[in-house]
Amino acid sequence: MKLNSHIIFLIVIVGIITAGVVGATLLSNGPMKQVDFDGIKVNVPSDANFVKTNDGYADSKYGIAIHPFKDNASASNYLKGVTGASVIALKNQPPQSVAFVQGDDTNVLITNGKEAVALGAKDQNLVTDMANSVVFSNHQKSVKPKPVVPGIAPPPHLEIHNDFYLIKALVLQVNNDIFNAAVFQNNTAMIVDGYNAASDQGTLDQYTASEFTQTASSNASASSNGAVANNANTSLLDNPQVSNVVGFLSSGDSNAGSAADGDAAQSNGGSVPFLSGNGASGSSVASTSGDSGSSTGGDSGQQKVDMDEFKLELEKQYPGYTVGVKEDGDYYIVSLKDSSGQVVEKMKYDAFTGQFIEKMDK
C-alpha cells in the first residue's frame, strides 16, 4: 500500500514536533544544584555554567542572569534602569518579590529588607523555581514555610501586609510607569488569591511543586573566574521531607524578617514558632533563648532552630533509628544509629534553617 505524499509530509512534521516537545520536557525538568552568588544561595540547573559579569552572573545555556544586591538602594537603582517591561503575577511567586517580563525574559526580584537578588531567564518555570529557592546570607529563605506535618497546623496563607511589605517599600522607592503602587497592588492580589485558593483546596503541594528537580545539596559556589564547582553529596537515607525537616521552625514569618530600613522586625517578637508535638491543633511558640541548643547567630540576629524540636522531627522521619544531634557552630551534626548502636548515617544541617547541607563521614 502506497502512502500519499501529503500524509508522509504530515508524519514527518508530527515527528519533528513530538521530538521537540520531548526535548523541551527533558530540558525543563533537569536536576538542580545550590550555588552561592556573593553570599546569596540559589538553586540553578546543575549543568549551568556561570561567568562573572559587570553586575552579576550569567549562564548562556539557559540564558540565566543573576544580579545580587547588598542593599535596597542598589536593588532600587536596578529597577529604575529597567525599560520596556511589564509587571506580572506568576503562579507560586514567592513573598517579598516583584516579577516582570522584559522582551522574552521573565524576571523576579526578591528582597529580605537588607539584601536582594534579581533572577531572569526565558523559561518562566525555571525562574519561579529559582526564586523559591533563594537563601539570603542571614539564612532567611524566600519561600513561604509550610508545615512538615499536615493537619496539625492550619494551612499557610499569604497576606499582602505581612508577606509583601518589604518589596512594596522597594517598589515605592522606584515609583515610575513600570513599578508603582497601583500596578504592584493589582498583581500582588492575584498572587495571594492563587496561593490561598490552592491552600484552601488542599492542592498547595501541587501548586508549589518545582518544575525542575533538586539534586542532593551542593557546596557549589561561583568562583572568582566565574566557574561553578558542583560538589553534590547524596544521603544514603534520602528523604524528601528531611531536606528541610524543620522549615516551619526557622521563623514565624520568615519573609517578614527585616524592616525596609534595615531594622530587625520579627512579627513574632523574636520567638520561633513550632508545631505542637502532642498532636494538638493549632501551634505553640517556643523561645530560642533557652538551653536546648538554640542561640542567636552572627550579625544577622536570626535565631537557630530549637535543637530539641529539630531532633523530634528527625525521629518522626527516621523511625527505628536512634537520632543524635550536636551543635557545631552554625550547623547541627546529626547521627543515625541502628538497633545495634552502629552509626549508619551522619549528616550536617544548617542550624538556622534546618536545611540539609551534606552527608558526612561516619
Side-chain angles (χ1 to χ4, degrees):
M1 181 174 121
K2 293 184 178 180
L3 292 175
N4 185 290
S5 59
H6 292 292
I7 296 176
I8 294 175
F9 176 76
L10 288 173
I11 292 174
V12 172
I13 293 299
V14 170
I16 293 173
I17 293 173
T18 302
V21 170
V22 171
T25 301
L26 292 174
L27 176 65
S28 296
N29 291 276
M32 303 280 276
K33 64 184 177 185
Q34 188 182 71
V35 177
D36 188 304
F37 297 94
D38 297 347
I40 300 175
K41 297 175 182 177
V42 184
N43 289 351
V44 297
S46 60
D47 55 348
N49 186 23
F50 286 89
V51 295
K52 191 79 168 67
T53 63
N54 291 333
D55 56 354
Y57 299 86
D59 161 70
S60 59
K61 181 177 179 65
Y62 294 90
I64 300 172
I66 296 181
H67 306 285
F69 305 102
K70 288 302 179 183
D71 53 63
N72 270 349
S74 300
S76 174
N77 289 335
Y78 165 79
L79 291 181
K80 289 177 181 178
V82 172
T83 58
S86 300
V87 174
I88 59 172
L90 293 176
K91 175 188 173 184
N92 193 27
Q93 184 177 326
Q96 308 300 6
S97 70
V98 60
F100 59 95
V101 291
Q102 187 180 32
D104 296 331
D105 293 336
T106 298
N107 304 269
V108 177
L109 185 142
I110 313 108
T111 182
N112 71 345
K114 292 184 178 180
E115 297 175 304
V117 61
L119 313 166
K122 297 189 186 306
D123 190 317
Q124 199 166 90
N125 289 328
L126 173 58
V127 174
T128 306
D129 288 349
M130 290 192 300
N132 278 289
S133 73
V134 172
V135 181
F136 291 99
S137 64
N138 69 343
H139 307 282
Q140 185 173 323
K141 295 182 178 181
S142 59
V143 70
K144 179 79 172 180
K146 291 188 294 182
V148 174
V149 185
I152 295 180
H157 276 76
L158 288 178
E159 298 177 350
I160 293 179
H161 62 280
N162 281 334
D163 295 301
F164 291 89
Y165 74 97
L166 295 174
I167 189 65
K168 181 179 180 180
L170 200 153
V171 167
L172 291 178
Q173 291 180 27
V174 181
N175 195 29
N176 57 21
D177 292 341
I178 300 173
F179 303 99
N180 55 67
V183 171
F184 174 81
Q185 187 75 18
N186 290 337
N187 284 274
T188 305
M190 288 188 280
I191 298 168
V192 169
D193 289 346
Y195 185 96
N196 291 348
S199 181
D200 292 338
Q201 294 165 9
T203 58
L204 193 59
D205 285 342
Q206 298 95 309
Y207 185 84
T208 58
S210 297
E211 294 286 334
F212 287 71
T213 57
Q214 170 74 51
T215 59
S217 180
S218 165
N219 290 330
S221 61
S223 65
S224 58
N225 61 4
V228 173
N230 184 14
N231 303 315
N233 298 283
T234 57
S235 171
L236 295 177
L237 296 171
D238 284 335
N239 185 324
Q241 295 187 37
V242 179
S243 63
N244 189 19
V245 69
V246 286
F248 63 95
L249 293 172
S250 59
S251 67
D253 187 348
S254 65
N255 301 292
S258 303
D261 60 1
D263 293 330
Q266 290 286 353
S267 61
N268 57 8
S271 299
V272 178
F274 61 93
L275 298 184
S276 175
N278 58 9
S281 60
S283 62
S284 56
V285 177
S287 171
T288 57
S289 61
D291 298 324
S292 55
S294 302
S295 62
T296 302
D299 297 329
S300 67
Q302 181 153 345
Q303 296 168 315
K304 292 181 180 179
V305 170
D306 184 279
M307 186 186 291
D308 290 339
E309 290 297 320
F310 180 78
K311 181 179 179 181
L312 286 173
E313 289 301 323
L314 285 174
E315 288 173 343
K316 295 175 186 176
Q317 302 302 328
Y318 290 129
Y321 292 92
T322 301
V323 178
V325 181
K326 68 177 182 179
E327 186 175 1
D328 183 11
D330 291 344
Y331 304 99
Y332 286 153
I333 307 303
V334 175
S335 60
L336 301 180
K337 295 181 180 180
D338 59 18
S339 57
S340 67
Q342 183 177 0
V343 176
V344 297
E345 188 78 43
K346 195 172 183 180
M347 298 167 285
K348 178 188 287 187
Y349 287 81
D350 189 309
F352 296 92
T353 66
Q355 181 74 39
F356 171 78
I357 302 297
E358 62 181 348
K359 175 192 168 186
M360 302 178 67
D361 293 334
K362 290 181 264 186

